[in-house]
Amino acid sequence: MELEAIPGVGAKTAASLRELDDPVATVESGDVAAIARAPGVNEARAARIARGAIRRRHGDDGRVLATDRAREVYRSAIDLLRERTVTDYAAKRLETFYPSAAASRIEEAQAFVESAVEREPAPAVREALAGVEPLVDPKTVRVRDRCLATADAETLARAESAVPELSVETVDDARDVSELARSYATVIVLDESFAGLDVDGDVHVRPDALENPAETVPERLLAFFAANRERLAAAAAVHEAADLAPAADLDALRGALDRLDDDGTIVGDAELERLTAAVDDLDAAVSTAESVADDRLRDAIRERDVTIEGTDFLSLVEQGARVDSLLDRELADEYDAAIERAREHLVDALRLEPDEAELAARVFGDDPSFPVEHDETAVSRLRTELSAARDRRAARLKAELATDLGALREPVEVLVRDALELDVELAVARFARDFDCVLPDVVGPDATEAEGGGFRIEGGRSPLLDVDFSEAEPIDYGVSGATLLSGVNSGGKTSTLDLVALVVVLAQMGMPVPAKSATVERFEEVHYYAKSQGTLDAGAFEATLRDFGDLVEGADGRLVLVDELESITEPGASAKIIAGILEALDEQDATAVFVSHLAREIRDAADFAVAVDGIEAAGLVDGELEVNRSPRKGHLARSTPELIVEKLAGDRDSDFYEALLEKF
């Protein structure tokens, strides 16, 4: 699949997506987090790309949501689902579910839902999910103790691109390599022509180094795991809390992470810690050792009577009163003991090994001086040896840990993805439980009324009402063809349209619907027109008629829901206009529900037998309507004024109210 063929993906976005390891497979997977790892692509954009790829895969080029109100209902449905997520990922991932006219997409989504609703959204799982986020790629880590070397310009360019963590140096011969070995702890030569090279230092000839980045620069892999430590720990906890089979060995993962610090360095190795501390503490230890020797000499001088003959004193003065001569003559043994004490302190303080202790012994020479002075060249040599030992040890441990983590690299991607996808499933499961949902039957557009054409809802309750869901009254309603819905004011006509729209939208998303049972035709388009806010002026009225003119052209496969269209102009004209629209929709075999208070007038104006359903009010009790919210088929509901007149006629002995009632 060409990336540019995905709806909404242009050349620039396609170029970013190609930075992914397997861009086509990643995009087609619908994995929003993986798509969002492309440069410049955030999760919201990734969700749109995934949705476009799904449309492309199912040949779903249509747009079911044809009006603003239909799109508002979809947003409400998505919001209800998103409110039940824990992670930002799941909230974005739900955006990949949309009302589709493609049977294959609806079946695919329903298969996901069937599995999802079996999940148990336990509090422990939700608590663990709070720490799960998509994995991140850390910034490039610069490694200073290692370099790559090559004599080939093309190899140099390839190395700089493949391994940006390391410096890449140009060499012509063994002498150049030897020079590099004095500046870097490790030199990796990429040219096979240098095989058999024999120079001092840690030099390796590895022509395959660029093909094995985990071995060449293990810091890359360690930085990835260090940056994602908390995400991985949370994903592991989710699998355990939900009793999921993890893609990665969790004990091995935790064991490896325990050997890694947050900055990607190795922890838990006593020898590396000893060498690191020795390098860090060297200067302080040398200074303290000097003080130890000086204190020993001071004590020795205080405890002894030193005799200086006149000729010796004169000689010392002539020599500039150098104390080392006096020490050499009078306190030689004490000086040797003080120096030995300094060397012992240095070895003990830095916990040096025997070979390192030999180098440490050179830090304090045998020539007497007071105060005692160290040999900076010897200190520098000791520091170099300790640093090299530390770096070699760290490099070996990094390579070993990278080998262990390398085996976990792909499994942890799956581990985190499964945890994030679980949040999507649990959101659907919670939605289904919270609103007593059922998976509807979605039938083809050619289904007859007996086969479920149009829509049929049993025990439907709307979560969009401004009341607690448990207080919403269940509704039974079904329509196939063009129908008028009549009823009293505040009887629930608009709420019924909202419920129908919500059930249809959710059904074509492949989602469960808030009903005991439901059958929905797979509509090509859903047109939902909300109630107009007052009479329209001439221009707006003309524009509205143009919209309906376009609507009735090829209306087959459409669901049309209209709320009190008569409010756009005067009642007499409205009835005729609505009758004409219904006639056109009937000829197209479209499914339509028009809410109107002019049902009788519209029926009289139409040239076909318009079906009329009614939301019937039983009467008025204490000034409140008692309403059966489920529309009665083939029934023209009485209006609120008629009910009030009927109540007055019953309450009062008056010919006036009886006469008014007969007018209805």
Side-chain angles (χ1 to χ4, degrees), residues 118 199 223 309 612:
E118 297 298 320
V199 297
E309 296 181 359
V612 179

Side-chain angles (χ1 to χ4, degrees), residues 574-595:
S574 294
K576 296 172 183 177
I577 291 169
I578 295 171
I581 294 171
L582 288 171
E583 289 169 5
L585 293 173
D586 179 66
E587 290 175 2
Q588 297 285 345
D589 292 327
T591 298
V593 179
F594 277 57
V595 166

